[in-house]
Amino acid sequence: GGMAVLRAAMRIGNEHYPELMSRVIFLRSNLLFAGAFRVFSLWAHRRSREKFHFVEGWTGVPLSSLLDWYDASELPQEFGGTGWRLDGDRFLEAAICAYDAAAAKAA
């Protein structure tokens, strides 16, 4: 089932690729997701668990803490940066169109 696949993926990641990522940020997650994630993260190595950060939402960690990890130019304006604008769903529409065009070109 899904849990076995998740455990296997986390085991493979922990054993073979522990330093692949520097951090994973969960932005504005709800308490239910955060609680479930904390249970799943018990399968991760301690070094990996320390790379997971919850920002804003129920945690009380302010959105401005993203500037501790990223330069303002690397963050969208909606996240307190000086970079591009996500512009709501238009950003997703543009991304989907770009991926669809790339897939059609590759086919």
Side-chain angles (χ1 to χ4, degrees), residues 1 3 10 12 14 18 27 32 36 50-51 57-58 63 68 74 77 83 90 92 100 104 107:
M3 292 294 284
M10 292 195 69
I12 291 167
N14 284 326
L27 185 62
L32 180 62
E50 291 171 352
K51 296 177 182 183
W58 65 274
L63 191 60
D68 294 339
E74 298 176 312
Q77 294 173 20
R90 288 191 200 108
L92 292 175
D100 286 347

Side-chain angles (χ1 to χ4, degrees), residues 7 9 11 17-18 27-28 50 53-54 62 67 70 75 77-79 84-85 91 93 96 104:
R7 275 189 292 241
R11 181 180 50 76
Y17 307 100
L27 185 62
R28 299 179 180 142
E50 291 171 352
H53 304 277
F54 287 84
L67 294 169
Y70 302 101
L75 291 172
Q77 294 173 20
E78 291 86 347
F79 296 163
W84 68 99
R85 288 194 53 76
F91 176 80
E93 289 174 25
I96 290 168

